[in-house]
Amino acid sequence: MTAVRTSVLPPYAAQLRVYEPLAAYPEPERSRWQAYAAEHGPDADGAAEPVAAAALAEQRQALAELAGRTPGALPDRESGRALVRVVDRVTYICPWTTRLRSWQAMDELRAALPAFLLDTVLPPAVRAEAEADQARWRTAHPDARPWILTSRWEVPVRWCLPFGEEDRHFVPAGPGGAAGDRPVPASLFYLTPMAQARRRVARGYRALRTAVPGSRSGPGGELVLGVEQVGRWLEEFHPRSLVELDYGGLVHLLGAEGLAAERSVAEIEAGIGALRAGDTEAAARAYEAVTARWRRVLALRYAS
């Protein structure tokens, strides 16, 4: 179990994660992760327990590495750590893959920032070196994929589709355990078996393709494409995996009342059901309610 005593809050970001059972990993990875899980213990023991403390530990480590040396575009080597869940006496592993995710974040940054600002944050020489490292690594690891996807300042609508309301786990904030521990922050997450997640995404994708003329090119095409990408990503993993949507640091933006009332997954689930029944107006209302709520949250990134 990861113990955290810190005033550092997680970033305002949600994560979509896949936990694969130990049996899914080939040797020698399986033995390494088995030893890791035995040494560190589970970060969450049971489906209803959050991994918030361990997720925060990853953020602290990343900050410590940046503060302890000359900042670089990405870590020098891949992390050997993971999130560990135990559900029904089965151990599941979600590797951090911090270096791979850093490359992806760099790609997102390049797409999001103007050239002059990007050159200030990541000078061209630094980017060129990181991109060359990435190309070499990709050549040696053509099938590599991250177990964790990150979204800053919002939960994308497409991430809601793998889950149902019954997968929801809300853990209110509370006092720390042992004397001297800091209070435990609130946590909101969804956890579901991979088979169920794939079925829901496939049903949603079919409903959207039928309801959205022109699919990718027409109105709503971005959502259709996003759902397709989520479905393809899930197909990369073992069929007995677990899929988790963790609101992470976004809980600090929603506030106690907003967090307790947050039901984006249920609203999108109802919207997909309405689409399948041919009620496009009800589906549109559900979609607009969710997107309007997250637009308000997204606007906070510009607040000073």
Side-chain angles (χ1 to χ4, degrees):
M1 178 69 71
T2 303
V4 176
R5 293 182 177 88
T6 178
S7 60
V8 176
L9 294 176
Y12 298 138
Q15 290 189 338
L16 187 65
R17 308 185 186 111
V18 170
Y19 297 79
E20 291 191 283
L22 276 173
Y25 294 90
E27 292 292 359
E29 283 184 82
R30 184 186 309 172
S31 295
R32 180 168 63 84
W33 287 128
Q34 189 171 21
Y36 178 91
E39 179 182 354
H40 291 268
D43 297 305
D45 193 354
E49 186 174 336
V51 296
L56 180 55
E58 182 196 8
Q59 301 297 331
R60 293 179 68 221
Q61 179 174 312
L63 289 172
E65 288 180 355
L66 287 175
R69 58 178 171 80
T70 302
L74 67 156
D76 295 330
R77 60 182 63 85
E78 188 54 273
S79 172
R81 301 185 64 180
L83 298 173
V84 181
R85 271 194 176 276
V86 174
V87 178
D88 295 331
R89 294 185 293 182
V90 177
T91 299
Y92 297 86
I93 302 293
C94 177
W96 284 4
T97 55
T98 307
R99 195 164 194 253
L100 175 57
R101 288 161 53 211
S102 295
W103 275 318
Q104 293 178 323
M106 188 178 67
D107 292 340
E108 294 170 6
L109 198 65
R110 184 169 50 232
L113 293 181
F116 74 92
L117 187 54
L118 179 63
D119 289 346
T120 301
V121 175
L122 287 174
V126 174
R127 293 204 311 274
E129 181 180 357
E131 289 164 1
D133 286 344
Q134 182 181 22
R136 287 191 294 269
W137 188 88
R138 276 294 183 190
T139 300
H141 305 84
D143 298 325
R145 73 281 193 262
W147 283 259
I148 302 173
L149 304 180
T150 301
S151 173
R152 295 158 189 83
W153 296 94
E154 65 173 337
V155 172
V157 169
R158 63 187 181 275
W159 285 12
C160 295
L161 267 70
F163 307 96
E165 178 66 9
E166 67 273 20
D167 303 319
R168 186 178 189 273
H169 300 280
F170 172 52
V171 181
D181 282 356
R182 295 183 182 276
V184 177
S187 179
L188 177 59
F189 68 97
Y190 292 77
L191 189 71
T192 197
M194 175 63 78
Q196 183 71 287
R198 288 176 178 172
R199 280 195 294 268
R200 287 174 176 143
V201 171
R203 286 198 298 262
Y205 181 69
R206 287 194 297 269
L208 288 165
R209 282 290 300 268
T210 301
V212 179
S215 294
R216 301 183 186 188
S217 59
E222 183 178 346
L223 176 59
V224 175
L225 179 59
V227 172
E228 179 181 345
Q229 291 171 339
V230 169
R232 289 183 175 179
W233 181 66
L234 293 177
E235 290 292 336
E236 295 285 335
F237 300 96
H238 193 278
R240 295 187 182 276
S241 301
L242 300 176
V243 186
E244 179 181 39
L245 169 58
D246 188 347
Y247 277 51
L250 293 178
V251 299
H252 304 291
L253 288 178
L254 296 174
E257 292 184 6
L259 190 61
E262 163 56 25
R263 289 293 192 279
S264 292
V265 165
E267 290 172 89
I268 293 301
E269 185 179 27
I272 292 297
L275 269 186
R276 297 176 68 197
D279 190 347
T280 56
E281 291 186 2
R285 286 196 298 271
Y287 178 77
E288 179 55 33
V290 172
T291 54
R293 183 183 310 123
W294 285 108
R295 278 197 298 269
R296 291 192 294 271
V297 175
L298 197 61
L300 294 175
R301 66 174 156 181
Y302 301 112
S304 58

